[in-house]
Amino acid sequence: MGIVIKQSFNNLLTTYLGFAIGALNTLYLYINFMSETYYGLVSFIVSTALIVMPFMAFGVQNTLVKFYSAYEGREQSVFLNWMLLLPLVLAIPGTLICFFFYEQIATFLSTKNAVVYEYVWYIFIIAVSLAYFEVFFAWSKVQFKTIFGNFMKEVFHRLGITILLVLLAFKMITIDTFLILLVLVYVIRMCIMCLYAFSLKRPKYIRHTIRSISNATKRPQNFSSIVKYTMLIIIAGSVATLMLDLDKFMLGLYEDLENVAFYSVAIYIATVIAVPARAMHQITYPMVAKMLNEKQYEDMRKLYHKSSLTLFVIASLLFLLIVCNLSSLYDMVTASYRSGLYVVLCIGAAKLLDNCLGINNAILYNSDYYRIILVLGVVLVVIAIVLNTIFIPIYGINGAAIATFVASVLYTLCKIYIVHKKFGMQPFTKGSLKTVLLLIAFFCSFYFWDFSFHPFINIVVKSFLLGVGYLLVVYFLRVSEDVTGAIDEVLRRKK
């Protein structure tokens, strides 16, 4: 776990820096300096782009990680070149479809909110930028270099948005200029990631690869398996993205954009719980792919247990800090946004369970059983769409949260079952039970009371007491050896 802990810790810091900047944007700048309608529009544009992104990437970011370690020398370089070309299979037709059928697409997306009509091209450009960014990030992941890529993924665009919001606050730009520059931020991020990826491993044999498009004998070995996996993994990527952004997209179709803004703030708060998993996955995905290729199943089992417990311990603390301070947090923002309080509780619980998966996703998507999860994912997305269609008209943003919670929990439980069935592994240990008991005890101790201070002071004091108490219990009970080791390392550095 050495390289995992080191890079995961650096990625965790970077991710939380990004989330801190995002919190400034979400909880202050957007709320105070952009109307609820346009904030909802921004959320709708980005969420829709994220839904389209897996198709534009053609599943290459996952394919690159899965197959890279199976090649050597010249074949490895040729394989990388193909990974650059494959996204064009859908990106080029997608551009043509958007050009010739713009009116029909825009009319559908703007059925409930007419303001969306003018900005459909923004969705497409951001989607393509996101797609190739993920390809270049995967290019660096297979070199086991994730820190810079994680900085670009989590910090760069949020910092760019902060600058744009400040310019908007001082009326140095208009809202239309803001939206244009927002698209440009994503394009620039993609270009920088491209330069970094190529600095780690420069593309070679480009002419050979281009000629091989019409000559099957010069393609990488197992090319048919690569294309088959790539086309199927598009569905997996779409499922994962839909589980995250389907609710906001459907809210934009059924509700006014103001409600998308309220929901986005709540989702952002809850998503903080998912940060540890996101940070660890950057390095564990290529590691698990290598373990599977080399059949190192016992090492994978140990990593499965350790990653699950470590993430569960950390995510439980984050869940407690958020839900126990939720009332005070909403006291600090505009009253209309308080309607998202129960959304945070619902989605936060789903994110907490998702952290228990550890490297489960990496095992499934890099193994021969990815087809099962694809079919299951499609079924659950259909269930999510049906549930959103039923609950949003009745309960509004809370209905979207209920639909997402049910679909996410079902998906998580099914993935745990499949890995257990096919590999004889499950993520839980005695430490997991200890963590559940700690979670319940600290929730009951801290959720039902608050100090009579200013909300910000209340959050600081309560978080300090809760955080210190939780970490002390985790440390002395030695719930997780990785967490205990990390605390020991911090204590040694202070001496």
Side-chain angles (χ1 to χ4, degrees), residues 56-225:
M56 296 297 102
F58 202 66
V60 162
Q61 70 272 33
N62 299 99
T63 304
L64 202 160
V65 172
K66 176 175 171 60
F67 288 98
Y68 178 80
S69 59
Y71 293 97
E72 295 180 357
R74 182 187 177 96
E75 279 293 313
Q76 200 171 69
S77 295
V78 172
F79 168 74
L80 287 174
N81 294 340
W82 273 94
M83 294 301 98
L84 293 179
L85 295 173
L86 281 179
L88 298 177
V89 171
L90 288 182
I92 292 175
T95 304
L96 296 174
I97 290 170
C98 195
F99 180 79
F100 287 108
F101 297 97
Y102 181 91
E103 185 174 348
Q104 291 85 344
I105 296 170
T107 300
F108 169 73
L109 293 177
S110 60
T111 302
K112 178 67 178 180
N113 298 282
V115 69
V116 174
Y117 187 93
E118 300 178 14
Y119 301 102
V120 173
W121 269 113
Y122 294 20
I123 295 171
F124 179 79
I125 296 171
I126 291 176
V128 173
S129 300
L130 289 169
Y132 263 102
F133 173 86
E134 291 297 336
V135 173
F136 296 132
F137 190 13
W139 188 292
S140 66
K141 283 181 187 178
V142 295
Q143 310 302 325
F144 296 105
K145 300 289 185 180
T146 64
I147 296 174
F148 179 80
N150 198 61
F151 173 84
M152 295 301 297
K153 184 180 180 72
E154 303 292 352
V155 177
F156 181 85
H157 69 290
R158 292 188 174 108
L159 187 58
I161 291 170
T162 301
I163 295 171
L164 296 183
L165 286 169
V166 170
L167 293 175
L168 186 67
F170 284 98
K171 299 182 179 179
M172 298 175 68
I173 59 174
T174 64
I175 187 65
D176 287 332
T177 305
F178 173 91
L179 291 168
I180 293 171
L181 293 176
L182 175 69
V183 175
L184 186 61
V185 165
Y186 283 98
V187 173
I188 292 173
R189 186 180 72 151
M190 174 195 68
C191 294
I192 294 174
M193 194 66 228
C194 172
L195 293 175
Y196 176 74
F198 289 171
S199 73
L200 296 176
K201 189 172 182 66
R202 189 172 300 175
K204 298 179 181 179
Y205 314 116
I206 295 292
R207 293 181 181 177
H208 168 92
T209 305
I210 294 174
R211 287 198 304 269
S212 71
I213 291 175
S214 58
N215 187 344
T217 61
K218 294 183 180 180
R219 293 169 184 168
Q221 296 178 6
N222 302 320
F223 184 75
S224 60
S225 298

Side-chain angles (χ1 to χ4, degrees), residues 441-466:
F442 275 86
F443 178 84
C444 294
S445 300
F446 284 87
Y447 182 77
F448 299 101
W449 59 271
D450 285 303
F451 295 107
S452 57
F453 305 142
H454 182 277
F456 178 77
I457 298 175
N458 187 66
I459 290 173
V460 171
V461 175
K462 197 172 180 180
S463 297
F464 176 79
L465 294 174
L466 193 159

Side-chain angles (χ1 to χ4, degrees), residues 234-392:
I234 294 172
I235 303 173
S238 301
V239 167
T241 305
L242 281 167
M243 296 297 284
L244 291 173
D245 292 284
L246 177 67
D247 42 12
K248 283 180 276 189
F249 173 73
M250 294 194 69
L251 272 173
L253 297 180
Y254 283 96
E255 299 281 324
D256 293 333
L257 286 174
E258 290 87 343
N259 288 314
V260 180
F262 304 152
Y263 190 81
S264 296
V265 170
I267 288 293
Y268 191 86
I269 295 170
T271 304
V272 173
I273 300 167
V275 171
R278 290 173 62 169
M280 183 177 285
H281 289 166
Q282 308 300 350
I283 185 62
T284 56
Y285 262 72
M287 289 184 68
V288 171
K290 190 172 186 294
M291 288 177 181
L292 284 167
N293 286 333
E294 297 176 0
K295 303 186 185 304
Q296 299 172 352
Y297 296 120
E298 189 56 37
D299 290 340
M300 190 168 69
R301 184 191 305 274
K302 292 177 182 177
L303 184 60
Y304 193 20
H305 287 157
K306 285 188 174 184
S307 62
S308 172
L309 181 57
T310 301
L311 290 175
F312 189 28
V313 170
I314 297 171
S316 294
L317 174 57
L318 295 175
F319 179 80
L320 289 167
L321 290 173
I322 288 172
V323 300
C324 291
N325 288 300
L326 199 53
S327 181
S328 297
L329 182 60
Y330 269 109
D331 285 340
M332 296 172 60
V333 300
T334 306
S336 57
Y337 283 84
R338 195 177 183 87
S339 59
L341 191 147
Y342 292 107
V343 174
V344 178
L345 293 173
C346 218
I347 302 302
K351 296 295 182 186
L352 177 60
L353 180 60
D354 195 50
N355 273 271
C356 297
L357 288 173
I359 60 169
N360 184 289
N361 288 340
I363 294 173
L364 288 173
Y365 291 141
N366 288 298
S367 72
D368 293 331
Y369 301 108
Y370 64 89
R371 298 175 185 84
I372 300 174
I373 206 66
L374 298 186
V375 175
L376 180 63
V378 171
V379 172
L380 287 171
V381 165
V382 172
I383 292 173
I385 292 172
V386 172
L387 291 175
N388 274 291
T389 303
I390 295 170
F391 290 135
I392 289 177

